[in-house]
Amino acid sequence: MTTTQDTERDPFPETAPTTVVGAYTGSIGVVGWEPGKRSAEEKNTQRLLPIFLGLMVAMLLAALDQTIFSTALPTIVGDLDGVHQMQWVITGYILASTVMMPVYGKIGDQVGRKPVLLVAIALFMLGSAISGMATDIDWMIGGRVVQGLGGGGLMILSQTVIADIVPPRDRGRYMGLIGGVFALASVAGPLLGGWLTTGPGWRWAFWINIPLGLIAFGLFAFLLKLPRPQNQVKVDFAGMITLGAATVALILAATWGGSDYAWDSWQILSLFAAVVVLSVVFVLIERKAAQPVLPLSLFRSRSFVLTMSAGLFMGIAMFGALGYMPTYLQMVHGATATESGLLMIPMMGSMLITLIVTGQIVSRTGRYKIFPLVGMVIIGVALVLLSQLSVDLPVWRVCLALGVLGLGLGMTMQILVLIVQNVFSPAMVGTATAGNNFFRQVGATLGSAVVGSLFASRLMDLLEQRMPAGTMSGAGGSDASAGFTPELVHTLPGQIQSVVVGAYNDALIPIYLWLVPFVAVGAILMFFVPETTLRTSNRITSEDTASSEKEPAQQR
């Protein structure tokens, strides 16, 4: 019998039987891929090219949408009179994508990645069309939710396909390709977003997703060939609905608490009670489900639990910090939509460099644990630097802090995914990847919701305290700040403009320091993650299939 300790050292020993079973059919070089054979490598390279082309387009679609949207966001919410609901434009997308992640991961394991990817792209394009036609802030939020329903599958399924075709030991080399997509989006997105916002209009920030989506859809439909699972499909509808409801209740409590309702109000307490009840019901459902959407066996792996928890805390800090930075640069430092996006390039550039370097080191040495540990410390330093910003400091100080943040993120994000994928069988890698990303996205949604709620309430309080009497009231007594856009703010009279800019700075910047403890907890958790041997093949064995709904075979 193999012990848990043995498993953490080598979850898939090279002595495992290599009998290929009927769990998957299809040909992409996954089954029996041994990287030591040159001819096999050459054949796999030819097979991988169209697959990676499609994956990179899908990732570019999701990444470019975010960089274009972030630069256009202040103008969008200003034009739609929805500044105070800005956090829901962000949170709605993240919440929808979070709820869908385990669904995409599980169904992808059951029916194959390709059809699920096509559905995700179609939903993403539909949400883009709805958002592009929005005439009020509620319509915009609804469109972003539909976008999120598709966006939740783009990144998850792309990561899972990479896990299908590239062994963990070699996967680090492909991090550069992934990072290159985000680097391209970080440069092209702000330029395109700024040009669209000031030129044809912000609606084209959504319409541009349609041709990109059609390209990705076509590449996957005609070029992508992946293994097709032959397992019996049993959809865990009860588990999916319960998990989604618990997640929504948690995010609503985090978003409304302290702003719309007091933390001890019956509304917030009821939401927290619903989270507890739904979580218990979810566990009971998953124990009996034939094909659970989030198998409880995942939580028997120390690597999964610790990495998932660390990712959740990192998500709170990362998305809480980044969600409002483009708005801050436009409102406080007077940057245009294009300039605010370009000022984020130091973060993406440093992240790309560390992503490539750490990926190469991991592939050559097989050692990886040190990178997320050091990365989280660097993220904490970056948050401290961000918390010291002020209206009077030069903009290069913002770029410096963002560059430091990128260094930490590049050393952390992909390694967390790699750790989880390495300790689960290929037949379960989609579910495990989705589970890990789900909890990180829960953290991201909580971070965006809480920071957005705190920022909005603090901004209103500061504006009411500092503005001359009667300035905050618009026509009909409505709140004039709901229609603030960067262009409007910087045409205000000098005294009022100074008040608004100072309020934006003082409402947001101190929150960054409050995020440091979350990163510290994540670093502590990562310290206890066992460093397992990275597999050098993606063989699908009878043992793998037998353990597909359990803890990895050697942890039974």
Side-chain angles (χ1 to χ4, degrees):
M1 178 180 295
T2 308
T3 65
T4 301
Q5 184 178 5
D6 293 331
T7 304
E8 300 292 5
R9 285 200 302 267
D10 192 354
F12 292 94
E14 292 302 314
T15 56
T18 58
T19 304
V20 177
V21 297
Y24 287 78
T25 63
S27 175
I28 58 169
V30 176
V31 178
W33 179 10
E34 296 296 342
K37 298 179 181 179
R38 185 60 186 172
S39 59
E41 285 185 353
E42 293 173 350
K43 291 179 181 178
N44 272 297
T45 299
Q46 295 176 352
R47 292 168 177 168
L48 290 179
L49 284 177
I51 296 175
F52 265 94
L53 179 61
L55 292 177
M56 293 176 71
V57 173
M59 291 187 214
L60 180 63
L61 178 65
L64 197 60
D65 173 76
Q66 293 305 300
T67 53
I68 292 176
F69 178 76
S70 63
T71 55
L73 178 60
T75 301
I76 292 173
V77 296
D79 286 350
L80 298 178
D81 291 328
V83 170
H84 300 148
Q85 293 176 278
M86 182 188 296
Q87 73 267 29
W88 277 110
V89 181
I90 300 173
T91 303
Y93 177 93
I94 299 176
L95 177 58
S97 63
T98 301
V99 170
M100 289 300 294
M101 281 182 177
V103 178
Y104 281 119
K106 187 63 182 181
I107 295 180
D109 280 344
Q110 290 183 312
V111 304
R113 322 288 182 210
K114 179 174 177 176
V116 188
L117 259 173
L118 296 177
V119 170
I121 294 172
L123 281 173
F124 191 85
M125 289 191 292
L126 175 61
S128 298
I130 295 172
S131 298
M133 295 185 291
T135 57
D136 57 51
I137 195 65
D138 294 328
W139 189 340
M140 172 60 65
I141 293 171
R144 290 290 287 169
V145 169
V146 177
Q147 255 193 315
L149 295 177
L154 294 180
M155 289 296 180
I156 285 296
L157 294 168
S158 297
Q159 289 178 345
T160 307
V161 170
I162 292 173
D164 283 339
I165 61 181
V166 181
R169 182 63 180 265
D170 296 333
R171 209 166 292 158
R173 298 191 181 111
Y174 292 87
M175 291 180 183
L177 294 175
I178 298 171
V181 170
F182 287 98
L184 175 61
S186 71
V187 175
L191 290 171
L192 195 54
W195 179 76
L196 292 172
T197 302
T198 58
W202 57 260
R203 295 182 188 279
W204 284 94
F206 297 102
W207 291 121
I208 197 173
N209 291 328
I210 305 301
L212 286 175
L214 290 174
I215 292 172
F217 193 95
L219 285 170
F220 283 128
F222 297 106
L223 298 180
L224 188 60
K225 296 182 180 179
L226 292 173
R228 295 187 301 274
Q230 299 299 305
N231 301 320
Q232 184 178 2
V233 178
K234 296 181 179 179
V235 181
D236 181 17
F237 289 110
M240 293 176 183
I241 294 172
T242 307
L243 180 62
T247 305
V248 170
L250 178 62
I251 302 308
L252 288 177
T255 303
W256 289 339
S259 56
D260 296 72
Y261 306 100
W263 285 107
D264 59 352
S265 65
W266 70 266
Q267 291 93 339
I268 301 301
L269 293 178
S270 297
L271 286 171
F272 280 125
V275 173
V276 174
V277 172
L278 289 169
S279 298
V280 172
V281 172
F282 175 74
V283 171
L284 296 176
I285 291 173
E286 297 304 274
R287 291 182 63 181
K288 297 181 179 180
Q291 296 284 347
V293 64
L294 197 63
L296 301 182
S297 59
L298 293 173
F299 300 92
R300 297 192 194 121
S301 167
R302 185 155 58 107
S303 293
F304 178 83
V305 172
L306 292 174
T307 305
M308 170 268 293
S309 302
L312 186 148
F313 286 108
M314 189 190 76
I316 292 175
M318 181 178 71
F319 284 87
L322 294 179
Y324 296 88
M325 185 51 62
T327 301
Y328 173 82
L329 290 168
Q330 292 181 53
M331 289 292 192
V332 175
H333 289 279
T336 65
T338 302
E339 292 168 347
S340 68
L342 291 175
L343 289 171
M344 302 290 287
I345 289 179
M347 184 193 75
M348 297 305 298
S350 60
M351 185 170 74
L352 175 60
I353 292 171
T354 52
L355 198 63
I356 294 173
V357 172
T358 55
Q360 291 294 325
I361 294 174
V362 169
S363 292
R364 292 177 181 177
T365 67
R367 306 302 298 271
Y368 54 84
K369 181 176 176 179
I370 187 63
F371 296 114
L373 273 173
V374 175
M376 288 192 180
V377 172
I378 295 175
I379 292 172
V381 172
L383 291 173
V384 173
L385 293 175
L386 287 171
S387 71
Q388 297 174 346
L389 299 177
S390 68
V391 176
D392 299 326
L393 289 177
V395 72
W396 69 262
R397 290 282 299 270
V398 184
C399 294
L400 175 63
L402 290 174
V404 175
L405 181 62
L407 290 174
L409 294 177
M411 298 177 71
T412 306
M413 295 180 62
Q414 293 298 322
I415 301 297
L416 295 182
V417 176
L418 178 64
I419 292 171
V420 170
Q421 291 179 342
N422 187 56
V423 296
F424 286 94
S425 68
M428 200 174 176
V429 72
T431 301
T433 302
N436 178 265
N437 281 271
F438 168 75
F439 286 102
R440 187 171 69 187
Q441 281 296 103
V442 167
T445 312
L446 287 173
S448 297
V450 172
V451 170
S453 178
L454 288 172
F455 171 58
S457 62
R458 284 167 57 85
L459 177 61
M460 282 303 304
D461 291 342
L462 290 173
L463 288 174
E464 290 177 356
Q465 293 170 14
R466 299 176 182 180
M467 278 287 196
T471 306
M472 293 294 292
S473 297
S478 63
D479 189 351
S481 68
F484 277 154
T485 65
E487 294 79 10
L488 175 61
V489 168
H490 295 293
T491 60
L492 294 173
Q495 181 181 1
I496 296 179
Q497 182 186 116
S498 298
V499 170
V500 174
V501 169
Y504 260 80
N505 184 90
D506 298 343
L508 180 64
I509 292 305
I511 298 176
Y512 289 135
L513 192 61
W514 305 348
L515 298 174
V516 174
F518 293 101
V519 182
V521 172
I524 293 171
L525 291 171
M526 283 304 303
F527 181 79
F528 295 99
V529 173
E531 189 168 33
T532 62
T533 302
L534 292 177
R535 288 180 286 125
T536 57
S537 68
N538 268 346
R539 294 172 302 179
I540 300 174
T541 69
S542 57
E543 190 171 342
D544 292 332
T545 305
S547 63
S548 62
E549 289 303 331
K550 304 175 184 178
E551 180 62 2
Q554 287 73 27
Q555 288 191 14
R556 288 198 300 264

